[in-house]
Amino acid sequence: MRTALEASACHPRVNHHHHASHDFARMAVIWGLLSLCLAVWLNLIWLWPSLGPEVAWLSYGRLAPLQHHLLLYGLGGSAVIAGGYSIAMHSVLQRESRMDAETAIPDIALPPFTLKLMHFTFLGWQAVVALGALAIVAGYSSCQYMAEAPWLVDLLMTLVWLAVAWVFFTVLEQRTLRRLPVACWYFIAGLMLVLMQHVLISLSVPIGLLESIPLFTGSLEALIQRWQAGPLPGGMFAFGVIALLHHMVTSRSRLPLYSHRLAATSFWMLVLLVTWGGAPLLFASALPAWSQTLGMAMGLLLLAPGLVLSLNGLMTLKEDWHSLRRDPLNCLLAAALISFALAVLEYSLLSLPTLNALTFSAANSLSPAASLGVVATVAIVMSYYLLPPMRSLALLKTHALLAIIGTLLCVAASWATTLLQGSMWHVLADDGRPLYTLSEVLEVARMPMMISLGGLACWALGLLLMLLNVTRTLADQKSERQAAHERQRLSSGSHKASSEPAMHSAPPSTTPPATSSGGHYA
Amino acid sequence: MRHVLLERHAGLMTALCLLTMSLGALAQLVPLGAHPSLASAPEDLKPLSALALEGQRIYQREGCQQCHTRMVRDLPGDTARHGTATTARERYYDRPSLWGVERWGTDLSKLPAQHDDAWQRLHLNDPRSQVPGSAMPAYPWLFEQALSGDGIAARMRALQGLGVPYAEDEILAAPNDVRGTAEITALLAYLQQAAPASDIASRDP
């Protein structure tokens, strides 16, 4: 087993992994921005339907799954894959070399095949997101909740995940830490969950290139579909996102986890319970009663590991509580941990039949505490972590603020809609007829939808600022690198020519990037 | 506590994760698949006709399940509005199951008896002409486009392979049966076929 230092000494060139991770992070931001803009647009045409053009591929039913797809697979998926690489590569570092721990993606030597696979995962995953998006807009959605891509794209996705697993385990082979960090456990569990859920839901008989018929039928298919919407949306990403949370809480803040024992306990409980999810989303449906009851019991149990995980993370951050004031990314991490607790609480409460009866009669079934609050928030923190330190700290701080306010507004709006509509839905008059008509029940959502429009607009604006900040930072970095290159060429080349013409092309001498730190804003 | 052993061996950790996760999956999915209500097709249940099958394709294409459920739940608010709760037997041939998750509109498992076919057409062409304040988008293109009948035979054959009892002559006749029909007719055929005839009769005012 070669050490990281030896390994990097052999390859003192450009850090390849930096490129791949920068690409992932940049695409994550772009997909996220697209998705949030769509969300704002969908909210607008719900409030004022006459705004919507009467064009088939721009109608609500096609754009709504597209929005999910871009958020979960584009933003969440890209960040989870790049984050997985970061987790594995960190385990290669020696524990003592604290300096290196600052970089999200350290420079370590990888076999050429693994490097190629890494590039394949980037291109493959972007193809999955883009092709899936095109297919959904063209009307070839597979109509499986939160897994709408057609079978051919599902197949490509499977290949990409296999490649991700290969890269992850290859890097892990080189690790210098004997014991796997907690983030690693979660990523391994995440890979296994993807393997199970994605393959099960994608099993189908193809008819033509884009359409297929699912292998399973009726209640069984319904239950498999609801898995995807487990305790965290896009159930297959749930563990990946938790892995990223642990990775950043410990390695970015360089704090030891508050309690290893709690981490181990909550990990195994979550692993045990995650595949029981789904049944709470099918309460009082045609699913057999025993299956509903079992699912609900497990849903209630989920509360324990969920809260423990969240508390463990928050207690870890508490060691350096003041950093929350200086460092917007730590602040976002804390927000994500709290959102995680909220999402789990919500999911567990759904296991109570009386509350569940209110919820699923209404427009919003699950609040965006999980999708925006956890998946999207963790994905943007991961992207910031992977990229070089941002040029503008003010923009970063504004983004963090907008994201937190946006999440709060959306969650509040969703809960208001659910409780108002759910309580109206079941009120019966003395003669047994419903007291409120459907239009009256739907009309109630108008005010909360205005609030959620504000929340989504905050999110979209925040991501726009992020894209701006990232583009400018990367452009700066590029020109700095060019300048450094130019200087090197001039000093090593013949000295006969004066440096005058070269100085024109290079920007006024800037200091080369001091560190490749992964983003410490403290 | 020997957790250290797991933490040192990625392979062991992977295997144990997979094992623990499959517990939940196996305990739920296997008995459900083998459940009497799912083990064999209900005899009185007819699979979707060729036209209704095309209708289902349009339902999926337009993403109707994003806002509408097709599952009347066994709860007071649901049964008071939509009649008896949906059973697993009724949904035996659902591929994929379009039960829905959110309700931004009415449940579509049984089209409301008070509106006839003509009303449904007017409503789909311009929802706000029939229900002022409705947030539903208009679907004028369903009236302009006609079915080509191209993929229907392949679709029925794939379903036949999965155990749906389609007769051979039914499949052969399908492309000609549906060719030239307006998409709206197919969609309404799907939504109406979903309701068992006996149930519609009992709910007539």
Side-chain angles (χ1 to χ4, degrees), chain A residues 61-295:
Chain A
R62 298 200 192 178
L63 294 185
L66 179 65
Q67 192 257 328
H68 277 149
H69 175 80
L70 292 181
L71 190 74
L72 292 179
Y73 294 87
L75 175 63
S78 298
V80 163
I81 296 176
Y85 294 156
S86 170
I87 292 170
M89 286 173 188
H90 262 251
S91 72
V92 180
L93 293 176
Q94 278 169 320
R95 186 162 283 187
E96 297 77 41
S97 55
R98 284 293 191 196
M99 282 300 284
D100 286 351
E102 278 188 16
T103 42
I105 301 274
D107 193 2
I108 57 166
L110 287 177
F113 178 65
T114 308
L115 263 181
K116 272 203 189 101
L117 269 186
M118 214 164 138
H119 285 284
F120 163 72
T121 56
F122 171 71
L123 291 176
W125 190 256
Q126 304 318 314
V128 161
V129 178
L131 292 177
L134 287 178
I136 290 170
V137 170
Y140 293 103
S141 147
S142 72
C143 289
Q144 290 165 317
Y145 189 51
M146 290 187 179
E148 269 105 354
W151 71 272
L152 210 55
V153 177
D154 280 341
L155 196 65
L156 180 58
M157 203 190 286
T158 317
L159 292 180
V160 173
W161 277 114
L162 286 177
V164 170
W166 177 281
V167 176
F168 183 79
F169 285 114
T170 314
V171 178
L172 221 53
E173 276 295 290
Q174 299 188 22
R175 71 177 185 274
T176 48
L177 301 172
R178 283 204 66 191
R179 289 168 67 166
L180 296 169
V182 181
C184 260
W185 317 348
Y186 275 106
F187 201 79
I188 290 175
L191 284 173
M192 296 301 111
L193 191 63
V194 169
L195 193 77
M196 278 175 63
Q197 291 197 337
H198 176 66
V199 170
L200 262 181
I201 203 168
S202 306
L203 285 178
S204 54
V205 180
I207 36 171
L209 278 180
L210 289 162
E211 290 173 290
S212 64
I213 291 173
L215 188 64
F216 301 110
T217 176
S219 316
L220 193 56
E221 213 272 337
L223 186 63
I224 292 175
Q225 269 195 43
R226 293 325 181 276
W227 268 18
Q228 292 289 114
L232 274 182
M236 58 190 245
F237 290 138
F239 280 150
V241 169
I242 301 174
L244 263 48
L245 257 178
H246 276 97
H247 179 52
M248 287 183 291
V249 165
T250 51
S251 73
R252 209 187 146 268
S253 322
R254 285 187 278 171
L255 296 166
L257 205 58
Y258 173 70
S259 161
H260 188 79
R261 188 172 288 249
L262 280 183
T265 323
S266 59
F267 172 73
W268 285 108
M269 271 189 87
L270 274 176
V271 169
L272 180 68
L273 293 174
V274 76
T275 44
W276 294 88
L281 297 175
L282 290 169
F283 171 66
S285 71
L287 197 72
W290 63 266
S291 183
Q292 291 179 30
T293 316
L294 204 58

Side-chain angles (χ1 to χ4, degrees), chain A residues 497-519:
Chain A
S498 76
S499 61
E500 200 252 326
M503 286 308 282
H504 274 296
S505 59
S509 66
T510 44
T511 48
T515 61
S516 53
S517 127

Side-chain angles (χ1 to χ4, degrees), chain A residues 319-331:
Chain A
E319 292 298 309
D320 191 12
W321 210 232
H322 289 291
S323 71
L324 259 62
R325 218 176 299 162
R326 302 186 305 266
D327 185 346
L329 294 191
N330 268 4
C331 202

Side-chain angles (χ1 to χ4, degrees), chain A residues 61-62 175 179-180 189 211 214-215 217-218 221 225-226 260 268 275 283-284 362-363 365 425-426 436, chain B residues 3 7-8 13 21 24-25 28 61-62 73-74 77-78 81 91-92 94-95 97 100-104 155:
Chain A
R62 298 200 192 178
R175 71 177 185 274
R179 289 168 67 166
L180 296 169
E211 290 173 290
L215 188 64
T217 176
E221 213 272 337
Q225 269 195 43
R226 293 325 181 276
H260 188 79
W268 285 108
T275 44
F283 171 66
S365 46
W425 183 258
H426 293 295
Y436 300 99
Chain B
H3 200 252
E7 290 171 30
R8 284 185 180 165
M13 178 72 101
M21 278 177 192
Q28 280 186 109
R61 188 188 72 192
E62 301 304 340
R73 302 196 305 159
D74 193 9
D78 276 37
R81 284 178 176 80
R91 289 283 173 263
Y92 184 79
D94 275 16
R95 272 195 178 99
S97 74
V101 178
E102 296 183 353
R103 277 184 181 155
W104 293 95
R155 184 175 290 265

